[in-house]
Structure formats: C-alpha cells, structure tokens
Amino acid sequence: MFVSTEATILHADLDAFYASVEQRDDPRLRARPVIVGSGVVLAASYEARAHGVRTAMSGGQARRLCPQAIVVEPRMSAYTEASRAVFAVFRHTTPLVEGLSIDEAFLDVGGLGKSSGSPVEIAARLRREVAGEIGLPITVGLARTKFLAKVASGVAKPDGLLVVPPHRELGFLHPLPVRRLWGVGPVTADKLATRGIRTVGEVAAVPESALVSLLGRATGRHLYALALGRDPRPVRTGVRRRSMGAQRALGRRDRSPEDLDAIVVGLVDRLGRRLRAAGRVSRTVTLRLRFDDFTRATRSHTLAQATAETPAILTTARGLLAVAGELISIRGLTLIGVALGDLHDDGAVQLALPFGQADAGALDCAVDEVRDRFGSSAITRAVLLGRDPGISVPLLPD
DNA sequence: TCTGGGGTCCTAGGACCC
DNA sequence: TCTGGGGTCCTAGGACCC
C-alpha cells in the first residue's frame, strides 16, 4: 500500500459544538459562559470551561462552578442541521470524508490536484468556509496520520489550525501528556503513572512488551505504535454502524416490574423501527442496567437467526429482564437500555422512503437509514426534508 | 418535574469442535 | 482412551469516545 510521507489528513472538529450553535443563534449568549443541558452538561462554551465546567458534569456542580452561566436546553434539530451544513462543506472539500460523530470528521486531501492548493491552504479555506457560511468556529489538525491529526486538533483548540509536518512529528508528540493520546482515559493514565510514565515520549521509551504486560495486548501495542507516530489506518468512507441501542435513565424513584416492562417495550419498539428502516437485522440482544452506585451489568442473548421483528426482539429482551431480576431486586436501578448487535443487511433494502406524515419516529428512522447506508455525513438531509410534511425523501446520494 | 444518550473496541473464560 | 493444541462462538465486563 502506498504510504503517504506528506501531511494530507485533516481532523476537523467543531468547538464546543452545541454551545457554539446556541451562541451563533442568540447574540445575547456571545462571549458569555453558556451551558447546554440542565440535568447533565451536554456542552459548555469556552467561557464556561474557563470556570471548570466540563461535558458530562452534573448541572448542579456546573452551576456551582459558574453561577453566572446561562443554561439553555438542548435543541437537537438545530445541531443536526448545523452538522449537515458543515459536512456538506467537508464533502465539497474532498470526497474522502470519514465522520466520527456529529461534530468531527477526518478528511483526506491527498491527491486532490494542484488547483485545490496545498493541504495547509485547503485546511485554512475549510475553516474560513465553516466560519463564514455556517457561522461556527472549527479547529483543524493537519498531519500525515489520522492519529496525529486528531492530536493536533486537540492541541490547537479552540478555533485553531495546527500542522504537524512529518519531520517534526516526534518533537510535537513526545512532550505531550499521555492523556492526549486518543484512547488513553483516566484508568490507563493512572496505570501508566504508577510506572512513572506521564508523557508520550516516556511511553515511546518503554519496551513494547512492558506496555503490553501493563495494559493488555491490544492497548499496549496500539499505544506504543502511536507514541512512535505509527498509524497506518486510512480515511474510510461509508463506515457502517455495528450496533444500535436505546436507553433510558430512571432517576432514583423505585419502579415496579410493570414499569420496567413498559420501558423495555418502548425501547424495543423504537429500536425495531430504526432497525427495519435501516434495512438491517440483528442477532444479539443486550439488556443494559446501571445502578445507583454507578455499577453496570449486562445480560445478552444471541439468536439462532437475525431478526428485525419487534416481537422476537421483545421476547428476548423480556427473557433477559427476567434473568436479571435478582440483580434488580437487590440494587437500585437507575438506567435501563437495550442494544442490538451483530447487525447485518436485510437483503431487500428500499431505495426511498415516503415521509408524507413525518413524525419523530419517522425522522429517527430516516436518520438511521441514511447513516447506515451512506455514512454519518449523509444523515441530516433526510431529517431536514423529513420535517417538511408531504415530501418524499430520496435516499440515493446525488 | 425530571434529569445522558448514544457508540467502538478489547479481554477473559467457558462451551464446543476438530 | 487419553492428552493436548488450536480454533470459533457466546457471554459479561470494562475502558474509552463524543
């Protein structure tokens, strides 16, 4: 395989995405600390982050840290629409776009030809276009590998552009704290710290075998390779999801078995619709539970034959709920979820879906259909058109 | 009053098979 | 018949990401 020796991979990452959309749409919020989500912080503007507010923090804690923050409820449809527009700019830049989430993607701009300009020029233009046409700040990292591009954008945030030239990779990487490595969370960072390893350079200086014995085979090898700047993974388009889940937090209130059953019925009903709309079938049903001490448990069952039929999935999920009954009775249950795994195509996939009466469920389905077939970058067109009653949504790409 | 909701990947052990 | 190696599948848990 051809291995690029040039920096042609962009990691483009919108800054404080939900909060930035709110600031864009309401001038009163600009330059002020904004928190999206009142129960749990879904996003915090950089002004709020300056006070220590972080994503996934409880709303109470966030308000204590930053009492002057303006708290707004999330507007998912606005974020979906903004994401759609940004991804359109991405795809206009290069066809090689790999979406990672609603607000970030890898772009490979190698081989675009001279008229597009150098990768640095392309990256700068991309930032200008997103800022000018969509009104959102976006940070771009540019490097020879996905991993380095991702690290670069993380370092360059917010509203930045950082290029890591191939001859400066290790000089850039090695002084960074290990926590900057994609895939190193609190647990792994702690384990490394017990060996006195705190920087990427210190990871690179340890024998790979030592990392493997400390962190496990895959993580050890992965981390060692990354610390040396090795990452051969190409930018891939059309990555398909491997599982599909729905869950619901229960709060602290006690629930009767009938309550739990009703919740599971609702979750399975939603999942079944999404699965069928995506033209896929699942073989493995997993029941997820979380308890008031934040411990988790799962119970799963694999069917002989994959299905997308709600009754079959529901029967399985109910069986798992019965199996888990003892766990539930002795601990306070705070979350229940159902996940469908081992997804496969369901032979006959429809090419178009009529959404004459678009409701929330139909939109859910449309999103999944497009994501599953054309990659996450194509998601939001169906959502947008689906919101307009009476329009059929063509799901074929342009 | 209600309060995170999605995902990916890896590991380990047991069952089972060749 | 016993032993052992090696592989796949399933289940449960865990780390991590946005």
Side-chain angles (χ1 to χ4, degrees), chain A residues 273 276-277 349-359 361-367 369-370 373 382-383 385-396:
Chain A
R273 294 170 62 174
R276 289 188 295 275
V349 177
Q350 291 201 331
L351 292 180
L353 289 178
F355 286 142
Q357 304 88 31
D359 60 14
L363 292 183
D364 246 12
C365 295
V367 168
E369 162 86 355
V370 178
R373 297 180 54 209
V383 171
L385 295 179
R387 298 183 76 76
D388 192 350
I391 292 184
S392 288
V393 183
L395 293 179
L396 287 171

Side-chain angles (χ1 to χ4, degrees), chain A residues 142-166:
Chain A
L142 169 59
R144 185 182 51 85
T145 70
K146 283 166 124 178
F147 164 68
L148 282 162
K150 169 105 176 163
V151 175
S153 73
V155 170
K157 274 185 168 297
D159 201 16
L161 168 62
L162 183 59
V163 183
V164 181

